Amino acid sequence: MSLQRCQAEWEEIDQEYRQLQETHKVYRHKLDELTNLQTLCSNSVSKQRKSLRDLNYNLLRCLKTSDPKESEQIKAIQTQIKEKQHVFFDMEAYLPKKNGLYLNLVLGNVNVTLLSNQAKFAYKDEYEKFKLYMTIILLLGAISSRFILNYRVTDEIFNFLLVWYYCTLTIRESILINNGSRIKGWWVSHHYVSTFLSGVMLTWPDGVVYQMFRNQFLDFSIYQSFVQFLQYYYQSGCLYRLRALGERNQLDLTVEGFQSWMWRGLTFLLPFLFFGHFWQLYNAVSLFELASHKDCKEWQVLMLALTFLVLFLGNFLTTLKVVHQKFQKNKGKLGKKE
Amino acid sequence: MSSYSECLQEWKSLETEYQQVQETHRLYKEKLEEVSRLQEACSVSIARQRKKLKEISHLLTKGVNSDDAGDIDKIQALIKERSNVFFEMEAFLPKKNGLCLSLVLGNVNVTLLNKQAKFAYKDEYETFKLCFTILILLFAFTCCFIVSNRIVDAILNFLLVWYYCILTVRESVLISNGSKIKGWWVFHHYISAFLSGVILTWPDGNLYQVFRKQFLAYSLYQSFVQLLQYYYQNGCLYRLRSLGKRHTMDLTVEGFQSWMWRGLGFLLPFLFFGHFWQLYNGLSLFRMALLPECTDWQVVVCGSTFLVLFSGNFLTTIAVVHHKFQTKNQAKMKK
């Protein structure tokens, strides 16, 4: 009895299977067409780009020897060229492109370009969530290591987690950059520096000098995770609002620093950030002092001191620049009023 | 030197080309939508059919009488065949990433959508393994015979951790693209990454110095054997693929696989020697752990890890040898 039933169900499925085979054949065929179009598009865009660049160069030279009317025309053309370059940048966000050096090393030649706006936005959203969850986990990890567990093993696990977290961030950010996100240089490099820092901490053997620095480092980690949590939470909300007003790009990310758009309501975060930066400076100074201690024979101390110094300088100067630009803008506005 | 009028002409011709580019891009985006819809349709259909096939298979194994045994077997065989077809189809459809890839990469699709791209990716993976094995070989050689510095050792260990982590990421991508890599050979990369990580944290001291030379010599040997493996396996796979006897997405591994009996049997003693060296490392470390001055937790953990590596490698390889002897015996008995 059931055999007959099975056979009946089989017939039904067979029909669907034949349809699927047809659909799949059409799909493969269209996929090939798509791949050809992709190559065609990519080639024509890069060709146009190059020609426009050459034309721009020639126009600049013509500008020197032209009369005012021609100058005006040239300037108009140059503006149009610039606009076109923007259009090409946006077009290329939907075309597969070669991976940068870092992604190539890690992933190889698999294409990581997400080919629709929703997919890109969903990926960015996922990246933000990942940062948020990992920051909470790191905060809890740092608190447990500082107040509950006092073993080198758990410290190691915490450090490995940090290294893994920063490495994963660098990979995901490379993918976002590949998909058109414009993340500023230092905010990406500072993840590589942080990875290096955590890696060196990992190799620091237990000893008198390590115990002297350990609590300070864990306190700093707790504070930093807390501030990063505040940052992501408030920046996410702010970005959402600004995107709805059309004032920011879809793919703008939350970062560990202060960016120009944050003046609208997130200024209260600045003192927290500066305090964190100066804590990094304090860490560097403490480590330099420890390095000159009579018991200190570990190379990690000096290396960490230098790394913390680099982190402080990079963070502080980048944030200061944003503040400076704001003051310049305000001065400019005041000047115009007068 | 271009005059202004020449520039104007160039600008006009670029404008016409630009219109074309915009048109092509528009067509492209349309086709992209079409293809996405087809992808969705295919994936949904395959999922639905898979579910139904499971139900049918379940029904067949329940209460059916023995007269229909022949028909049942026929249908079961058809079901299996169909599952294989779906597996092949899915290698060209985007799919959700597994846990490992999801955690590291997020939700970006890593399915390569045509055969050449897949093969090129696999080829690149093999080249990556080869280059890195040579790099690690040179580094281990330097650490063993030229430089004796904890920092350089740390760099070698970091290199090992990073290498094994990247291998796991790339292998996850390959599996997503239809490669059938056996469980242990992927898992053993995670274990190797863990082992290198633990050695990384082992502070410099008497015990470390005692084990260091043994570990470096072992790394040298292992890199050398891996080099042999990749070199000869690559050649063999190439030959077998052109004879149509192996799948395009089959990879070189650090163990012995069934297809390697054809000409690569000479590698077996090298492999077994490597496995027993792992056992020896494990035992040395356990002996070290019993010493009164041993305060490093790394010793016991590394010891256990080496034992796990030895067991996994040795048992998996023995399984292949055993299987070979069984098929030989069966062939003999048939005669």
Side-chain angles (χ1 to χ4, degrees):
Chain A
M1 186 60 199
S2 51
L3 179 67
Q4 282 176 323
R5 196 169 135 213
C6 286
Q7 281 175 330
E9 298 238 0
W10 180 260
E11 285 304 320
E12 211 181 294
I13 288 220
D14 220 35
Q15 267 266 30
E16 204 181 327
Y17 176 68
R18 263 185 272 274
Q19 246 183 338
L20 173 69
Q21 279 189 309
E22 242 339 282
T23 319
H24 192 80
K25 210 163 82 185
V26 171
Y27 164 67
R28 292 291 300 272
H29 183 71
K30 291 230 180 230
L31 199 58
D32 282 333
E33 281 177 14
L34 185 72
T35 319
N36 291 337
L37 268 176
Q38 269 175 355
T39 325
L40 185 63
C41 260
S42 297
N43 288 342
S44 27
V45 168
S46 30
K47 194 168 140 239
Q48 274 259 309
R49 264 216 162 127
K50 185 167 176 300
S51 315
L52 282 176
R53 244 200 324 261
D54 293 336
L55 180 63
N56 205 11
Y57 179 68
N58 287 331
L59 282 175
L60 273 174
R61 294 167 81 177
C62 290
L63 204 56
K64 298 186 186 141
T65 56
S66 59
D67 53 40
K69 183 160 163 274
E70 282 183 349
S71 297
E72 232 182 85
Q73 289 178 327
I74 291 180
K75 290 211 175 98
I77 295 182
Q78 282 185 321
T79 324
Q80 285 189 26
I81 290 183
K82 214 170 180 190
E83 259 174 45
K84 291 219 171 119
Q85 302 283 30
H86 281 164
V87 172
F88 290 149
F89 184 83
D90 287 333
M91 275 188 181
E92 281 186 326
Y94 294 91
L95 291 165
K97 58 170 81 74
K98 268 188 165 305
N99 290 335
L101 174 65
Y102 184 63
L103 270 183
N104 239 336
L105 219 48
V106 175
L107 286 183
N109 221 348
V110 57
N111 168 51
V112 294
T113 314
L114 294 148
L115 297 172
S116 78
N117 249 339
Q118 300 103 300
K120 287 184 200 283
F121 194 68
Y123 186 74
K124 187 203 83 72
D125 230 10
E126 190 191 18
Y127 163 85
E128 302 286 7
K129 270 210 201 76
F130 172 76
K131 282 215 286 192
L132 199 73
Y133 291 151
M134 281 306 295
T135 304
I136 296 174
I137 292 176
L138 286 169
L139 183 67
L140 296 173
I143 292 178
S144 347
S145 290
R146 174 73 176 87
F147 299 115
I148 308 175
L149 309 156
N150 211 325
Y151 309 111
R152 189 77 184 89
V153 186
T154 46
D155 287 357
E156 297 287 12
I157 297 177
F158 177 67
N159 278 314
F160 260 121
L161 197 63
L162 277 172
V163 175
W164 182 81
Y165 169 63
Y166 285 120
C167 276
T168 310
L169 276 190
T170 55
I171 295 177
R172 291 197 186 213
E173 278 159 8
S174 304
I175 295 180
L176 281 162
I177 292 174
N178 184 300
N179 274 288
S181 226
R182 294 180 224 230
I183 318 175
K184 232 186 176 136
W186 168 253
W187 299 120
V188 182
S189 324
H190 125 284
H191 285 152
Y192 291 99
V193 180
S194 302
T195 313
F196 177 71
L197 181 88
S198 312
V200 176
M201 279 295 300
L202 199 59
T203 67
W204 194 354
D206 205 354
V208 173
V209 188
Y210 174 74
Q211 288 298 332
M212 292 204 284
F213 185 67
R214 179 188 184 269
N215 286 339
Q216 183 175 334
F217 176 70
L218 287 171
D219 289 332
F220 165 73
S221 300
I222 294 175
Y223 177 77
Q224 193 177 48
S225 304
F226 170 67
V227 173
Q228 278 173 20
F229 176 76
L230 282 184
Q231 285 262 67
Y232 303 152
Y233 182 74
Y234 285 107
Q235 280 183 25
S236 267
C238 192
L239 272 176
Y240 185 78
R241 219 176 49 224
L242 291 173
R243 263 195 307 262
L245 293 172
E247 300 199 18
R248 292 307 295 189
N249 191 321
Q250 289 268 31
L251 288 182
D252 276 347
L253 307 172
T254 62
V255 285
E256 281 118 52
F258 201 84
Q259 293 200 300
S260 50
W261 51 266
M262 287 168 70
W263 287 110
R264 301 163 151 257
L266 294 187
T267 318
F268 75 93
L269 288 171
L270 260 179
F272 285 102
L273 290 173
F274 278 130
F275 187 70
H277 299 165
F278 282 107
W279 199 330
Q280 283 167 340
L281 179 62
Y282 176 60
N283 283 339
V285 169
S286 314
L287 285 163
F288 275 125
E289 275 176 11
L290 281 176
S292 48
H293 197 267
K294 56 178 170 58
D295 288 328
C296 174
K297 20 184 177 68
E298 298 117 346
W299 60 272
Q300 285 90 345
V301 185
L302 198 57
M303 186 64 83
L304 285 170
L306 289 168
T307 317
F308 266 117
L309 197 61
V310 168
L311 273 182
F312 162 72
L313 287 171
N315 289 337
F316 186 65
L317 293 174
T318 314
T319 313
L320 207 60
K321 191 160 150 226
V322 177
V323 178
H324 179 72
Q325 272 176 352
K326 175 74 173 180
F327 278 129
Q328 292 277 38
K329 224 165 82 179
N330 282 346
K331 247 200 239 160
K333 278 201 195 141
L334 277 174
K336 276 196 189 154
K337 277 193 185 157
E338 286 160 15
Chain B
M1 183 74 110
S2 282
S3 73
Y4 179 58
S5 49
E6 282 177 13
C7 285
L8 269 181
Q9 270 187 323
E10 175 73 10
W11 173 246
K12 288 210 167 69
S13 73
L14 281 179
E15 276 275 297
T16 4
E17 262 182 51
Y18 177 70
Q19 304 293 349
Q20 261 182 324
V21 172
Q22 281 196 308
E23 188 48 36
T24 319
H25 191 81
R26 195 187 62 82
L27 274 173
Y28 165 69
K29 286 193 80 167
E30 257 178 36
K31 197 136 267 197
L32 195 58
E33 287 268 316
E34 246 186 277
V35 169
S36 303
R37 269 191 303 241
L38 280 170
Q39 275 174 348
E40 186 69 35
C42 280
S43 300
V44 164
S45 177
I46 289 181
R48 197 171 40 222
Q49 287 191 44
R50 269 224 164 106
K51 192 159 160 267
K52 272 259 161 99
L53 283 180
K54 231 164 123 171
E55 282 172 19
I56 294 183
S57 188
H58 185 69
L59 276 175
L60 282 177
T61 51
K62 273 205 313 190
V64 265
N65 33 13
S66 49
D67 329 329
D68 304 320
D71 288 326
I72 293 177
D73 284 339
K74 228 177 19 189
I75 299 188
Q76 292 277 30
L78 281 174
I79 291 182
K80 192 146 200 268
E81 203 190 303
R82 209 141 281 186
S83 278
N84 285 343
V85 172
F86 289 155
F87 184 79
E88 296 281 341
M89 279 188 175
E90 280 184 326
F92 292 92
L93 290 166
K95 57 172 84 75
K96 265 193 165 308
N97 289 335
L99 176 67
C100 169
L101 273 181
S102 260
L103 225 49
V104 175
L105 291 183
N107 221 348
V108 58
N109 169 53
V110 294
T111 315
L112 294 147
L113 297 172
N114 65 57
K115 276 213 146 90
Q116 300 102 300
K118 287 185 200 278
F119 194 67
Y121 186 75
K122 186 204 84 71
D123 231 7
E124 188 191 20
Y125 163 85
E126 303 286 6
T127 317
F128 171 78
K129 281 215 291 193
L130 201 74
C131 292
F132 256 84
T133 306
I134 296 176
L135 185 66
I136 292 174
L137 185 83
L138 293 172
F139 226 104
F141 184 82
T142 315
C143 285
C144 199
F145 298 116
I146 307 178
V147 182
S148 186
N149 191 320
R150 189 69 185 87
I151 302 182
V152 184
D153 286 357
I155 298 178
L156 173 65
N157 279 312
F158 262 122
L159 197 65
L160 281 169
V161 175
W162 190 78
Y163 168 65
Y164 284 119
C165 283
I166 306 254
L167 274 191
T168 55
V169 172
R170 290 197 185 212
E171 276 157 8
S172 304
V173 174
L174 280 164
I175 293 175
S176 187
N177 275 288
S179 229
K180 298 194 217 211
I181 317 174
K182 226 181 179 150
W184 170 253
W185 298 121
V186 182
F187 191 54
H188 122 285
H189 286 153
Y190 289 98
I191 298 188
S192 304
F194 175 73
L195 180 78
S196 311
V198 174
I199 295 190
L200 189 62
T201 69
W202 194 352
D204 206 352
N206 283 334
L207 293 170
Y208 174 75
Q209 289 298 333
V210 167
F211 185 66
R212 181 182 180 272
K213 269 266 149 81
Q214 183 175 336
F215 176 70
L216 287 171
Y218 159 75
S219 302
L220 258 174
Y221 176 78
Q222 193 180 46
S223 306
F224 169 68
V225 172
Q226 278 173 19
L227 211 62
L228 281 185
Q229 285 262 68
Y230 302 151
Y231 182 75
Y232 285 107
Q233 281 185 23
N234 253 330
C236 193
L237 272 175
Y238 186 77
R239 217 177 49 222
L240 291 173
R241 261 194 306 262
S242 47
L243 291 173
K245 298 208 186 181
R246 290 308 293 189
H247 196 264
T248 9
M249 291 302 280
D250 275 347
L251 307 171
T252 63
V253 286
E254 280 117 50
F256 200 84
Q257 293 201 298
S258 49
W259 50 266
M260 287 167 71
W261 287 112
R262 299 167 153 259
L264 295 186
F266 74 94
L267 286 172
L268 262 180
F270 285 99
L271 290 174
F272 279 130
F273 186 69
H275 300 164
F276 281 108
W277 199 328
Q278 282 164 347
L279 178 65
Y280 176 61
N281 283 341
L283 292 175
S284 314
L285 285 165
F286 276 127
R287 219 176 327 146
M288 214 186 274
L290 296 171
L291 291 173
E293 65 250 27
C294 174
T295 46
D296 307 319
W297 58 270
Q298 286 90 344
V299 184
V300 176
V301 177
C302 282
S304 329
T305 317
F306 267 117
L307 279 188
V308 170
L309 271 181
F310 161 72
S311 322
N313 287 338
F314 186 65
L315 293 173
T316 315
T317 314
I318 281 279
V320 176
V321 177
H322 178 73
H323 184 77
K324 173 76 175 179
F325 277 126
Q326 277 207 321
T327 32
K328 252 191 174 159
N329 277 341
Q330 280 175 355
K332 265 195 197 153
M333 278 166 68
K334 279 192 182 159
K335 280 190 184 163

